[in-house]
Structure formats: structure tokens, C-alpha cells
Amino acid sequence: MRSKSFEGMACSIAGVLDAVGDRWAILILRDLSLGLSKYEDLRKSTGVTHATLSDRLKHLEQNELIERRLYQTGPDRYEYLLTRKGREVLLVIQALAQVGDKWAITGNAGPPLKFINKNSGRPVKLALVDDKSGELVRLRDVRPQAGPGADDLVRWRLAKFDQG
């Protein structure tokens, strides 16, 4: 069962979480990014029940993170593909993998999945960069600030942050 919606909350993070839905949906997006597109392949990879997979695929489609495409008739069979919006959510998945690898979540054998530059073959990682200069920024040098869409609750959170 999914939690209540974050709709109406002035928070980009809550909006992405609402669009994705839950942890099963993250794994489905992971698999779609790896080229799996058929229902049975997604089920085999995740180990999720039919009911849960069907529900999550519908949710991801309604939130325009994936699209369903007919690839066979009689009986009708569909494949699932990432949309542009869905491909952008892959940054979240890469960030989760990067943190999991750093913490050795899956054990000491090393990362189960690596992300590489297809042109150079070298590993890539997500990093914070200055929006204008492109220079690397250390996490400890990042500070939250109210944006143009901030509401009173966002400003309250930031005031608490400033007091801490």
C-alpha cells in the first residue's frame, strides 16, 4: 500500500518521490535503464508480485516516467520504455548506487553495477558543480536557500536550519 500523496507540497524532492511512488518503482526504473522492457523480464529481475508490478507500471505511466508500446497482437503484449522525464530520474538511481557502493551496502566484493563513460570506458560519478563555472563544490560547502517557489513551510525549515 502506498502512502498518501505529496501533491500540493512546495518541495521538488516530494514531487519526484510522488511521481516515482516507492522502492519497487525505483527498481523498475533501474531495470528499464538497463534495457529490460518486457513485463516478464521486469518481474524476473525484481522478484515483485504480478499485482505490484502491474500497479507500479501504471503509476509510472500515469506520471509520464514510462510509456507503454504494443509489440505483439493476439494476445496483446506491451513493452515499457523510459520517457525523457524517466531518464532524468536515473540521476537519483545513480546517486543511490554511488552512496550504496561507498558504504559497501552489498558487501566487500565491490560494486555490483558500475557506470562508465561509453566513449572512454572510464568510471563516472555524480558530483556537485557550480552552476556557472562548472567547478566542483564540496558537499560541506553547499547551503540551502529559499527559491522563487518557496512557501511559508520551506522558509520555516530554512529558519530552523539557520538556527542549527
Side-chain angles (χ1 to χ4, degrees):
M1 177 186 343
R2 262 195 238 118
S3 303
K4 80 172 202 163
S5 172
F6 296 130
E7 187 176 336
M9 189 181 287
C11 178
S12 299
I13 297 165
V16 172
L17 289 172
D18 212 28
V20 170
D22 69 2
R23 62 188 183 162
W24 289 116
I26 288 282
L27 296 180
I28 292 165
L29 292 170
R30 172 206 62 195
D31 288 348
L32 292 171
S33 77
L34 297 174
L36 300 178
S37 63
K38 308 287 192 309
Y39 182 92
E40 283 305 319
D41 290 340
L42 295 170
R43 206 181 90 55
K44 179 179 179 180
S45 178
T46 60
V48 70
T49 66
H50 286 288
T52 300
L53 179 57
S54 179
D55 179 65
R56 296 324 181 267
L57 289 168
K58 286 176 188 165
H59 178 83
L60 292 169
E61 186 177 13
Q62 289 169 349
N63 284 277
E64 301 174 348
L65 297 177
I66 66 171
E67 62 184 13
R68 189 171 67 141
R69 188 181 310 164
L70 184 68
Y71 73 89
Q72 174 187 311
T73 58
D76 288 354
R77 300 234 187 258
Y78 295 89
E79 64 180 342
Y80 300 89
L81 304 166
L82 291 169
T83 61
R84 192 175 122 236
K85 192 173 170 182
R87 285 188 300 275
E88 289 179 2
V89 173
L90 296 180
L91 290 171
V92 174
I93 293 168
Q94 288 177 335
L96 289 169
Q98 190 169 310
V99 170
D101 293 345
K102 182 177 182 178
W103 293 353
I105 295 294
T106 60
N108 294 326
L113 183 65
K114 295 186 339 182
F115 296 94
I116 61 165
N117 179 328
K118 70 178 183 177
N119 298 315
S120 69
R122 291 190 302 262
V124 298
K125 67 178 183 176
L126 297 176
L128 297 168
V129 296
D130 184 281
D131 193 34
K132 293 206 188 244
S133 71
E135 293 177 22
L136 288 176
V137 178
R138 295 178 301 192
L139 185 57
R140 67 178 178 228
D141 293 331
V142 175
R143 181 187 187 290
Q145 181 179 30
D151 63 6
D152 290 340
L153 188 55
V154 170
R155 287 184 186 83
W156 174 80
R157 286 185 194 113
L158 291 173
K160 290 291 191 179
F161 176 83
D162 289 337
Q163 292 172 1

